[in-house]
Amino acid sequence: MKLISWNIDSLNAALTSNSARAQLSRDVLETIKSYEPDVIALQETKLSAKGPTDKHLEMIEALLPGYQIAWRSSEEPARKSYAGTMFLYKEVFNPIVTYPEIDAPDTMDQEGRILTLEFPEFFITQVYTPNSGNELVRLDDRQIWDEKYRDYLLSLDAKKPVIASGDLNVAHEEIDLAHPGNNHFSAGFTDEERADFTKLLASGFTDTFRAIHGTIEGVYSWWAQRVKTSKVNNSGWRIDYYLVSDRLKDKVVKSEMIDSGVRQDHTPIYLEIQV
């Protein structure tokens, strides 16, 4: 099975804008298409509470034909057109779609952050983890989220194996970002967030990229848009993951980043697994 996960940073912009960045996003979608993935997970879709419009659906069909769609958007009292997730899965599949809430703090459960597909023998789930924010204003809530999300994955794992992907907004180890020394108090690399990720793995999940590539350095999934030279200089972070239940780790064939060219922000990640 071939799977791709990508924080697209506005599906609407990628599909309907005429900006140079939107064209780069559509180029990435063409690259994704070339992989012929069975399931595509998108985060930070930023769609309205009503979800994709008819125009969005037409453009998705034109760019990525042959997929069914499941989506989840931010809804009141959460911010409008914020966060959000979407799955595209090949029409031959008929998974059960669920829209989990995990008793998260504040409006996190209403921000469309988790979406799950249940197949006969396994789950595929995706997440857009809340960022701890400037000056770590959301760190306390983020830690509660991490605990609740771990409990959710364990509840799935108790039933059948899990494949979990998404933007987890944490670089786990110092080798997962270019400049660890400068970022120990930055959102995504605090001791608290890293410890929570360690707990998640220790509870029965495998970071598939590390399982395949060991301690390789300099491979990242995100480069800051605000720093024009971040990607040229490879000043990146690895904050996007495919995790699997430990009992699936020997089934992983490939786990890697997809080349998104000069486009900064997130790059898609790819998993090939025998299930």
Side-chain angles (χ1 to χ4, degrees), residues 12-267:
N12 176 64
L15 295 178
T16 65
S17 173
N18 291 320
S19 70
R21 177 174 168 77
Q23 184 56 60
L24 291 175
S25 296
R26 289 193 286 274
D27 290 345
V28 175
L29 289 171
E30 289 289 349
T31 300
I32 288 173
K33 178 182 176 181
S34 72
Y35 277 73
E36 300 182 343
D38 296 293
V39 180
I40 302 167
L42 299 176
Q43 301 93 49
E44 206 171 358
T45 52
K46 296 183 178 178
L47 297 178
S48 77
K50 295 181 180 179
T53 64
D54 290 342
K55 183 177 181 179
H56 291 147
L57 294 174
E58 289 172 7
M59 295 194 71
I60 290 171
E61 176 62 23
L63 284 166
L64 297 162
Y67 290 90
Q68 296 288 338
I69 295 173
W71 57 270
R72 191 173 188 190
S73 292
S74 182
E75 56 189 29
E76 292 184 350
R79 289 163 53 187
K80 295 180 180 179
S81 301
Y82 173 65
T85 47
M86 177 181 285
F87 271 122
L88 292 81
Y89 52 92
K90 284 188 175 178
E91 293 174 342
V92 295
F93 299 119
N94 187 32
I96 298 169
V97 182
T98 55
Y99 309 85
E101 296 189 359
I102 59 173
D103 195 26
D106 196 25
T107 60
M108 291 177 177
D109 273 334
Q110 287 75 50
E111 293 167 3
R113 292 182 175 276
I114 305 176
L115 193 58
T116 299
L117 305 178
E118 181 178 356
F119 291 81
E121 296 180 350
F122 53 89
F123 291 99
I124 296 178
T125 186
Q126 66 164 308
V127 65
Y128 175 38
T129 301
N131 191 293
S132 293
N134 293 332
E135 299 183 357
L136 304 178
V137 295
R138 220 177 185 189
L139 179 58
D140 289 345
D141 284 349
R142 162 64 186 270
Q143 288 188 267
I144 298 171
W145 168 278
D146 286 344
E147 179 182 357
K148 300 288 188 177
Y149 179 66
R150 183 172 68 251
D151 288 345
Y152 172 66
L153 290 189
L154 286 171
S155 73
L156 296 182
D157 188 59
K159 300 172 186 175
K160 59 183 80 171
V162 177
I163 301 169
S165 74
D167 174 3
L168 275 80
N169 262 316
V170 60
H172 185 210
E173 303 288 357
E174 292 197 349
I175 57 174
D176 291 317
L177 71 167
H179 303 292
N182 299 334
N183 285 291
H184 281 284
F185 298 97
S186 299
F189 197 61
T190 63
D191 290 346
E192 293 88 345
E193 292 162 313
R194 296 169 63 201
D196 284 344
F197 193 79
T198 296
K199 289 178 185 176
L200 173 57
L201 297 181
S203 69
F205 297 94
T206 295
D207 174 353
T208 61
F209 181 84
R210 287 290 167 221
I212 294 292
H213 300 283
T215 57
I216 187 173
E217 299 184 30
V219 182
Y220 307 122
S221 67
W222 177 83
W223 301 264
Q225 290 187 66
R226 296 179 182 178
V227 182
K228 292 183 179 180
T229 59
S230 65
K231 198 165 191 181
V232 172
N233 295 334
N234 199 27
S235 296
W237 297 47
R238 189 174 73 94
I239 57 176
D240 301 87
Y241 297 83
Y242 265 107
L243 309 179
V244 298
S245 298
D246 283 347
R247 59 194 184 278
L248 288 181
K249 65 182 179 181
D250 292 336
K251 303 292 186 181
V252 176
V253 178
K254 293 182 180 179
S255 181
E256 58 195 29
M257 313 307 168
I258 292 175
D259 184 2
S260 54
V262 299
R263 185 187 185 276
Q264 293 184 191
D265 201 52
H266 295 265
T267 202

